Amino acid sequence: MMSPTLRGSLAACLGIACITSSDAITKALAAGLPAGQIVALRGVLAIPLVALLAFALARGGWLAALRPRDWRANLLRNGIIAGHSVMVVLSLSVMPLAEALALIFLSPLVALPMAQAWLGERAGWARYGCVALGFCGAALVLAPGGALPGWHALIPLATAVSSALVDITTRYAARTEPALPLLMGTMVGQALFGGALSGVTGTVAPTELQWLGLLGCAALMSAFHWFSIMSLRLADVGTVAPLRYFGLVWAAVLGFVFWGDVPLPVTFMGAGLIVLAGVLNLRLSLKRE
């Protein structure tokens, strides 16, 4: 039987594959639908999916299974997720994609001292080294270039902090709150936030194909948050956060399969560093069990 750390790492990797796939669909949807509407409809479509999951897992008591036990932890986590969504949108609006992502992917380095200070997790120089190695791999995959546009760089840096806070609050909330209420709270929060954002970005009537894409996004996003909650219940933040870099590897695969984007040699080098960093960090975590 796998250890909790291994199971948590596997759940994290599955979640990362789900959210990266969802992002790929969202990229296609964004060509015809406003951003706020996409966020709102994904959340709305995800709510019945989470209800069906609760019915399948809890049977007769599915409504009770969705009721939050710890309102404070639930609201704290979902409030930070909503704020993080805003920061991501702002980051991508003021900076080029590669440069913004390169700064946002500093979040695992930020998450380590936060988890050490607020959750009492152990870090150590070896783990920091693994995360730094993963970040170097991410930088090679993204291949950012050019000068940072002054104060605009502070926005993706703040996004990196908010991303780390999402991991910290998920780990904290998962100690007392079951996964289903956390998952439902996330989807309701996304629907409400997206609805408010739609007042700014506007709405259009989706086509049948776009509705299918939105449903796929809702399912993948729900799966991501489920796996994220389960991973941070089983493993610590220092183990799970650096695995986010694997999303860049999966994104490169999706880009090649669906858009014909041929990875550059530097992309393979970066992917190799990401895998190496992930394996070394996992070995450290297993030794500490």
Side-chain angles (χ1 to χ4, degrees), residues 141-232:
V141 172
L142 293 168
L148 294 177
W151 66 268
H152 288 161
L154 295 175
I155 298 177
L157 285 174
T159 306
V161 175
S162 68
S163 177
L165 284 172
V166 170
D167 288 338
I168 298 296
T169 53
T170 299
R171 175 73 169 168
Y172 168 76
R175 292 176 173 179
T176 57
E177 184 77 345
L180 284 171
L182 285 175
L183 184 59
M184 180 58 84
T186 301
M187 299 304 114
V188 171
Q190 290 291 299
L192 293 175
F193 166 70
L197 190 60
S198 294
V200 178
T201 61
T203 60
V204 298
T207 65
E208 291 183 1
L209 185 60
Q210 287 171 332
W211 276 116
L212 185 61
L214 288 166
L215 182 60
C217 278
L220 288 166
M221 186 177 65
S222 300
F224 160 69
H225 284 288
W226 174 266
F227 284 126
S228 177
I229 293 166
M230 298 309 297
S231 67
L232 285 163

Side-chain angles (χ1 to χ4, degrees), residues 53-157:
L53 177 63
F55 182 80
L57 295 178
R59 303 276 177 191
W62 66 277
L63 280 175
L66 290 172
R67 188 178 303 117
R69 275 65 163 175
D70 188 340
W71 281 96
R72 290 173 57 188
N74 207 308
L75 289 173
L76 175 65
R77 175 180 180 270
N78 292 311
I80 290 175
I81 288 177
H84 174 63
S85 299
V86 174
M87 296 305 298
V88 170
V89 173
L90 287 174
S91 296
L92 298 179
S93 66
V94 300
M95 289 185 64
L97 178 64
E99 281 85 345
L101 288 180
L103 291 172
I104 291 171
F105 273 109
L106 286 169
S107 62
L109 285 171
V110 178
L112 287 186
M114 283 185 176
Q116 191 172 3
W118 295 343
L119 300 176
E121 295 185 3
R122 292 179 295 168
W125 290 110
R127 174 159 280 176
Y128 276 102
C130 290
V131 176
L133 182 63
F135 174 73
C136 290
L140 287 175
V141 172
L142 293 168
L148 294 177
W151 66 268
H152 288 161
L154 295 175
I155 298 177
L157 285 174

